[in-house]
Amino acid sequence: MSAPAADAQLNDPVLSVDKVSVRFETREGPVVAVDDVSFGVRQGEFLSVIGPSGCGKSTLFNVIGGLLTQHQGTVSVAGETIDGPHKSIGMVFQEESTFPWRTVTDNVAFPLELVGMAKAERVERARHFIKLVGLDGFDNRHPGELSGGMRQRVSLARTLASKPKILLMDEPFAALDEQTRLLLGDKVLQIQQEIQQTTLLITHNITEAVQMSDRILVMTYRPGRVKRIVDIDLPRPRTSEIVSSEAFGRYVAQIWADLREEASRGMREAEDQVLHHQGAES
Amino acid sequence: MADTGRLRSTAVGAPGWVSPVTLLRVVIILTFLAVWEFLSHSGWLYRDVVPSLVRIAAALVDLLTHGEYYFNLGVTAAEIGLALAIGGSLGIVVGIVLGANRFLTKAYEPYLYYLGPTPKIIFFPIIIMWCGVGPESKVALGALSCFFPLALSVAAGMRQIDKVLIRVGKSFRANSWQMVMKIYLPAMRHPLINGVRLGFGFALIGTLLAETKLSNMGIGFLIINAYSTFDMPRMYAMLIVLFVLSIGANALIGRLGGIESIKRR
Ligand SMILES: Nc1ncnc2c1ncn2[C@@H]1O[C@H](COP(=O)(O)OP(=O)(O)OP(=O)(O)O)[C@@H](O)[C@H]1O
Ligand SMILES: [Mg+2]
C-alpha cells in the first residue's frame, strides 16, 4: 500500500449514490422501485449492478443519469450533487437509441456537435471511436443498414466520444445473441483496460458481471435494495477466456445463490398477483 | 370483354408498350373531351356554359400571351407562399410546443380539433375588417387555413417520436433549440412533410377563396371577373392553368419528401 493520503484520495468515490429511493404512483397504488440505495464508484473502477428483472435497475440508472428527478436521497459526482444530466456522466441505453437519419459518423459525432466542436475535429474523433468499437469502414452507413449488435456498438461509440468521466450503461447487450454478446463484452473489457474508464454497468447477466467487474452490487427484488456488494478478485487484464477458470465459477455460484433467492421471490410475487387478479375476477 | 383481354395480354407480352392503366386513363380523357365538344355543339345547354374546346384553347393562348395574367399569377403565388410561410411556421411551433407538453396538450388541443375542420372562410369578414381588401387579407386567410392541419400533424408527429431518442438528447445535455433542430424535427420528418403538403393545399384553397370573395387582383379575382362578365372560355382556361400549377407544386413538395437522405429510416 502507498502513502495513506494518496490512498484515501484513490478510494474517494467519483460517483456516490446516497440513500436514493424512488416511488412511482401507479393505478394499483404506490410502487417502491428503489429503496434506500447507497454505494460509491471509485476512479477507474468497473462496478456492476445486478438484479432480477423489474427490481429497479433502470430506475436507478435514470436517477444517476439525471433523467429522473423526483427521487429522495442524493447522487453526487466528485462531491457535487447533481440535479439533471451531468457533463461527467455518459449514458448508454437499454433500448435501440441510434438516430436513424444520421450516418454512423454523424451519430457518433452527435455529442461533439452539441458542444460546438469544429467539423474536421469531430469527424476525426468520431472515426477514432468507430474504430475502437470495431466498426471501421461503416462510417457512412445509416443505422438501418447495420445489425442490432452493430447499432449497439454505435451507441457505445457515441457515448465514449463525449469522453465521459463516468460511463453508465443499462444492459447494453441485453438484446443481443450470446456470441455477439461475448465478443462485445471483450470489446468493452479491452476499452476499459485501454482507457481506464470508470464504469457502472447495469445487467442481469451473471457471467458478464463477473467477467468485467471489480465489484458487483446485487439488488433485491421489490423493493430494490442493496443485498450485497461482492469484490471480484480476479487478475486483469481479463478476456472472455477467464470464464472457464475455477475462481470464476465460485463467484458465479455465489452471486447466483443470492440472485436465485430474489428472482424466485419475484416470480412468486408475480404469480400471486396473477392468481389474486383471477380470484378477484371470478 | 374480348377486347380488354387482348389489350392486357399484349401489354404483358411486350413491356415496351403502353400499360393498360395509362391506356385507360387516356381513353377516359379522350371520351370526356369528346362528350364536352359534343355538348358544346348540341345547343342543349345555355349559351357558353360548355364552350367549344377550340375557344378554350384560343382563350388559353390569349391568356398566356398577356402580361396582366402573369402579374396576377405572381400576386396569388406570393400570397400563397407568404400564407404557407406564416401559417406553416406558426403551426410547426405550436405543434412542437403542444406535442412536447402534456399539460398544454390537454388544455388546448381540443380547440384545435374543433377549429381545424371549420371552413375558415367564415372568418373572412373579420379578417377584412382587420387587414383590408388588399392581398394582406388573402395572406391572412391562407395562413389561418394552413395553420391548423400543420399544427395538428406536427403535434401528432411529436408524440410518435421514439422516447429514447429524446432521452439520448437530454443525457448529452442538448438545449431546447438543439433538441428541436437535431432531434424533434428530423425524427418527425415524415409527418412534417405530409403536414406541409396538406398545409399547402389548405393555403391554396384559403387564398383563392378569399380572392374570389373580395379583391382587386390575383387569379381568384380574374376567375370571378371572367365569370361575372360571362367570359366562359377565359374562365376555363384559367382553371386549367391553375389545376396544372397546383399539381406541379404538390409534386414538388412530394419530391422534397422523397429525397434519399430525408427518407432514411
Ligand atoms: N414510470 C413508471 N411508472 C410506474 N412504475 C414504474 C415506472 N418505471 C418503472 N416502474 C416500476 O418500477 C419497477 C422497476 O422498474 P425498472 O425498469 O427500473 O426495472 P429493471 O430492473 O430495469 O428491469 P429490467 O431488468 O427488466 O429492465 C418495476 O416494477 C416497474 O413496473
Ligand atoms: Mg431495465
Side-chain angles (χ1 to χ4, degrees):
Chain A
M1 285 284 133
S2 51
D7 212 44
Q9 178 138 49
L10 217 90
N11 282 324
D12 260 2
V14 273
L15 172 72
S16 46
V17 174
D18 195 26
K19 299 198 178 70
V20 166
S21 301
V22 181
R23 223 171 68 160
F24 290 114
E25 300 298 335
T26 68
R27 259 171 276 122
E28 282 96 41
V31 171
V32 179
V34 176
D35 187 25
D36 196 30
V37 168
S38 301
F39 65 93
V41 184
R42 294 187 280 262
Q43 179 69 48
E45 182 182 38
F46 196 121
L47 186 132
S48 292
V49 172
I50 197 166
S53 185
C55 75
K57 302 186 295 295
S58 293
T59 307
L60 189 61
F61 168 83
N62 285 323
V63 169
I64 298 172
L67 295 178
L68 192 69
T69 44
Q70 73 267 38
H71 61 85
Q72 287 168 320
T74 54
V75 175
S76 46
V77 174
E80 180 195 345
T81 303
I82 67 163
D83 60 350
H86 193 274
K87 62 178 184 300
S88 298
I89 297 180
M91 304 172 81
V92 180
F93 293 86
Q94 187 170 5
E95 304 92 337
E96 178 77 61
S97 69
T98 50
F99 300 118
W101 60 88
R102 284 175 170 248
T103 61
V104 170
T105 305
D106 289 344
N107 258 288
V108 175
F110 176 77
L112 311 175
E113 219 176 288
L114 293 186
V115 297
M117 185 185 278
K119 179 158 177 132
E121 199 185 344
R122 64 174 193 250
V123 167
E124 196 186 300
R125 168 110 61 108
R127 185 150 299 151
H128 169 76
F129 283 96
I130 290 168
K131 207 181 217 161
L132 191 71
V133 298
L135 284 179
D136 228 358
F138 291 92
D139 307 56
N140 294 318
R141 303 293 192 86
H142 282 83
E145 304 168 282
L146 306 180
S147 73
M150 289 159 99
R151 283 199 287 268
Q152 208 53 359
R153 275 186 273 172
V154 173
S155 304
L156 178 62
R158 180 177 60 192
T159 303
L160 287 174
S162 68
K163 297 201 171 161
K165 284 206 185 73
I166 301 157
L167 176 62
L168 188 56
M169 297 193 280
D170 187 9
E171 308 200 36
F173 317 128
L176 307 178
D177 66 87
E178 194 58 29
Q179 282 115 309
T180 318
R181 191 187 180 107
L182 276 175
L183 288 177
L184 259 188
D186 268 351
K187 205 94 226 172
V188 168
L189 261 178
Q190 182 197 333
I191 293 166
Q192 139 85 2
Q193 274 147 23
E194 245 167 62
I195 58 186
Q196 290 297 306
Q197 177 71 56
T198 308
T199 307
L200 178 60
L201 172 74
I202 284 170
T203 178
H204 54 221
N205 184 307
I206 304 178
T207 325
E208 189 176 281
V210 177
Q211 177 196 349
M212 297 185 184
S213 314
D214 296 307
R215 283 191 301 155
I216 297 177
L217 186 156
V218 184
M219 275 181 86
T220 62
Y221 181 82
R222 287 235 192 146
R225 291 203 181 103
V226 180
K227 185 178 178 89
R228 197 191 306 277
I229 295 184
V230 183
D231 280 292
I232 305 297
D233 245 333
L234 294 172
R236 286 197 186 268
R238 302 177 194 163
T239 64
S240 53
E241 278 165 32
I242 202 166
V243 169
S244 49
S245 80
E246 195 201 330
F248 188 91
R250 255 187 281 121
Y251 283 121
V252 169
Q254 180 191 348
I255 289 163
W256 179 223
D258 275 347
L259 264 184
R260 185 164 41 203
E261 233 175 79
E262 296 308 318
S264 59
R265 193 156 66 79
M267 299 265 277
R268 248 196 338 271
E269 266 172 35
E271 267 168 25
D272 282 352
Q273 223 164 29
V274 171
L275 289 176
H276 187 76
H277 269 277
Q278 282 170 347
E281 267 161 32
S282 64
Chain B
M1 259 340 239
D3 257 337
T4 47
R6 205 179 63 231
L7 271 180
R8 188 174 328 129
S9 65
T10 45
V12 171
W17 284 49
V18 192
S19 83
V21 177
T22 316
L23 207 67
L24 193 65
R25 280 184 189 152
V26 171
V27 167
I28 288 174
I29 292 172
L30 287 180
T31 314
F32 175 76
L33 292 179
V35 170
W36 179 285
E37 194 62 22
F38 172 75
L39 274 179
S40 79
H41 289 288
S42 70
W44 294 344
L45 295 167
Y46 184 62
R47 179 180 82 98
D48 263 2
V49 169
V50 178
S52 148
L53 292 175
V54 180
R55 293 183 52 212
I56 295 180
L60 193 62
V61 170
D62 183 57
L63 197 68
L64 296 179
T65 47
H66 279 83
E68 180 209 10
Y69 180 71
Y70 293 100
F71 166 73
N72 285 287
L73 189 67
V75 169
T76 301
E79 284 168 357
I80 294 173
L82 255 168
L84 187 59
I86 297 172
S89 46
L90 273 176
I92 291 173
V93 169
V94 167
I96 288 177
V97 170
L98 280 184
N101 188 315
R102 212 181 288 156
F103 175 73
L104 285 181
T105 300
K106 264 204 185 131
Y108 292 112
E109 210 166 308
Y111 294 119
L112 287 190
Y113 275 109
Y114 295 138
L115 281 173
T118 314
K120 305 305 168 304
I121 194 72
I122 62 172
F123 300 112
F124 195 51
I126 308 170
I127 292 178
I128 291 277
M129 287 200 296
W130 283 357
C131 311
V133 293
E136 296 86 353
S137 57
K138 282 70 203 178
V139 172
L141 192 71
L144 190 65
S145 305
C146 74
F147 168 80
F148 289 93
L150 253 163
L152 285 174
S153 62
V154 167
M158 282 287 286
R159 281 190 285 274
Q160 278 167 21
I161 297 177
D162 200 349
K163 292 290 170 291
V164 73
L165 299 184
I166 294 170
R167 297 202 296 149
V168 168
K170 296 220 163 109
S171 82
F172 286 125
R173 296 149 51 87
N175 58 36
S176 307
W177 177 248
Q178 289 171 327
M179 288 299 289
V180 170
M181 298 312 285
K182 292 180 191 294
I183 295 182
Y184 295 153
L185 287 180
M188 60 178 177
R189 60 210 178 284
H190 301 292
L192 188 66
I193 284 167
N194 266 335
V196 170
R197 240 167 133 164
L198 223 69
F200 168 73
F202 278 81
L204 183 91
I205 294 169
T207 307
L208 281 173
L209 214 53
E211 277 182 355
T212 59
K213 287 289 168 214
L214 185 61
S215 66
N216 44 24
M217 53 180 130
I219 297 297
F221 167 72
L222 288 187
I223 290 176
I224 213 68
N225 210 22
Y227 172 76
S228 54
T229 57
F230 219 73
D231 192 348
M232 286 302 159
R234 183 175 159 84
M235 194 189 84
Y236 282 116
M238 282 190 283
L239 287 182
I240 291 170
V241 177
L242 192 64
F243 187 58
V244 170
L245 285 179
S246 49
I247 288 179
N250 205 356
L252 202 72
I253 299 177
R255 273 287 270 287
L256 215 68
I259 292 170
E260 223 21 50
S261 62
I262 307 180
K263 223 165 72 184
R264 278 256 159 62
R265 170 66 231 184

